[in-house]
Amino acid sequence: AQTVTQSQPEMSVQEAETVTLSCTYDTSESDYYLFWYKQPPSRQMILVIRQEAYKQQNATENRFSVNFQKAAKSFSLKISDSQLGDAAMYFCACDPNSGYALNFGKGTSLLVTP
Amino acid sequence: DGGITQSPKYLFRKEGQNVTLSCEQNLNHDAMYWYRQDPGQGLRLIYYSQIVNDFQKGDIAEGYSVSREKKESFPLTVTSAQKNPTAFYLCASSSLTGARSNTGELFFGEGSRLTVL
């Protein structure tokens, strides 16, 4: 079984500043995918960024980047130059690539203040 | 446009009634999923299906049932056996897991909010 832990129920950041959301996971698989999803007030789940475990290079998508530490099973999300539209619930998820479904953390609510 | 359609968006149920939530996708995805979302609980897997006429229980399948008669459709029935059905339900789909070409990404519908009166 896989577990995903997000230890920060809520985070706050000022506009234009940088914030890091934490995620740790537990899996016995050697090959897997990791994801960060965003859920704004509309509740539509949106993929933010994806990391393949066999790639050592950290994924980057514009203002979003990850710090992937495979040995520590850590997968944090960094949001640079935060914008008001970044305010949302953020979920970390792991896909063990073993035929099962994504396993999600409990989420971190991000507040962005002007 | 390709995507996932869930209906209805809002549903009210009296205690003791079964209700069915619809989920249709036109992405030609093999796998489909149902998740339940409660405040502070994240997304919890109810059922998933990787192929037509086959499905597997997730972590919280008790009180729910599904069918997969067509590749495009994966309806979820919330039965009267589900003791606390008030929640937000999300349907998702993906390319078949296990294939190296598959990125594992889930595509989500807009969700259905079920309230028991």
Side-chain angles (χ1 to χ4, degrees), chain B:
Chain B
D1 288 347
I4 300 176
T5 301
Q6 288 187 240
S7 63
K9 285 192 175 183
Y10 301 96
L11 185 61
F12 298 89
R13 186 193 98 173
K14 293 181 180 179
E15 285 195 27
Q17 287 183 335
N18 292 354
V19 294
T20 297
L21 307 181
S22 170
C23 179
E24 303 277 334
Q25 56 99 359
N26 60 5
L27 300 168
N28 199 33
H29 283 164
D30 296 294
M32 296 188 73
Y33 311 83
W34 276 105
Y35 286 90
R36 169 176 170 149
Q37 186 177 13
D38 297 282
Q41 293 294 319
L43 277 68
R44 293 182 291 170
L45 182 67
I46 305 173
Y47 269 99
Y48 70 104
S49 167
Q50 294 183 315
I51 194 169
V52 173
N53 293 323
D54 187 44
F55 46 82
Q56 284 76 42
K57 292 182 179 180
D59 301 319
I60 56 166
E62 185 176 353
Y64 299 96
S65 66
V66 294
S67 62
R68 187 87 186 276
E69 297 177 1
K70 299 186 300 181
K71 186 176 183 178
E72 302 79 18
S73 179
F74 192 41
L76 173 74
T77 296
V78 185
T79 75
S80 57
Q82 169 52 236
K83 297 307 178 187
N84 185 22
T86 294
F88 187 67
Y89 292 87
L90 282 162
C91 179
S93 70
S94 74
S95 299
L96 189 63
T97 56
R100 183 23 97 206
S101 59
N102 171 36
T103 63
E105 177 184 354
L106 292 188
F107 295 79
F108 285 87
E110 294 183 336
S112 294
R113 174 71 183 176
L114 172 63
T115 302
V116 174
L117 302 174

Side-chain angles (χ1 to χ4, degrees), chain A residues 19-38:
Chain A
V19 64
T20 299
L21 308 184
S22 300
C23 174
T24 59
Y25 60 94
D26 184 23
T27 179
S28 57
E29 303 291 331
S30 59
D31 189 16
Y32 49 91
Y33 294 97
L34 296 162
F35 304 85
W36 279 99
Y37 278 87
K38 170 185 177 181

Side-chain angles (χ1 to χ4, degrees), chain A residues 6 8 11 18-24 35-38 46-50 59-61 63-68 74-80 86 89-92 108 110:
Chain A
Q6 294 179 249
Q8 306 152 317
M11 291 284 285
T18 296
V19 64
T20 299
L21 308 184
S22 300
C23 174
T24 59
F35 304 85
W36 279 99
Y37 278 87
K38 170 185 177 181
I46 302 165
L47 178 67
V48 174
I49 199 164
R50 170 179 51 235
T60 299
E61 288 287 342
R63 298 182 296 106
F64 298 88
S65 61
V66 299
N67 182 7
F68 173 48
S74 171
F75 183 60
S76 60
L77 174 69
K78 185 171 82 172
I79 306 175
S80 304
D86 295 333
M89 198 76 173
Y90 286 82
F91 292 98
C92 178
T108 296
L110 179 65

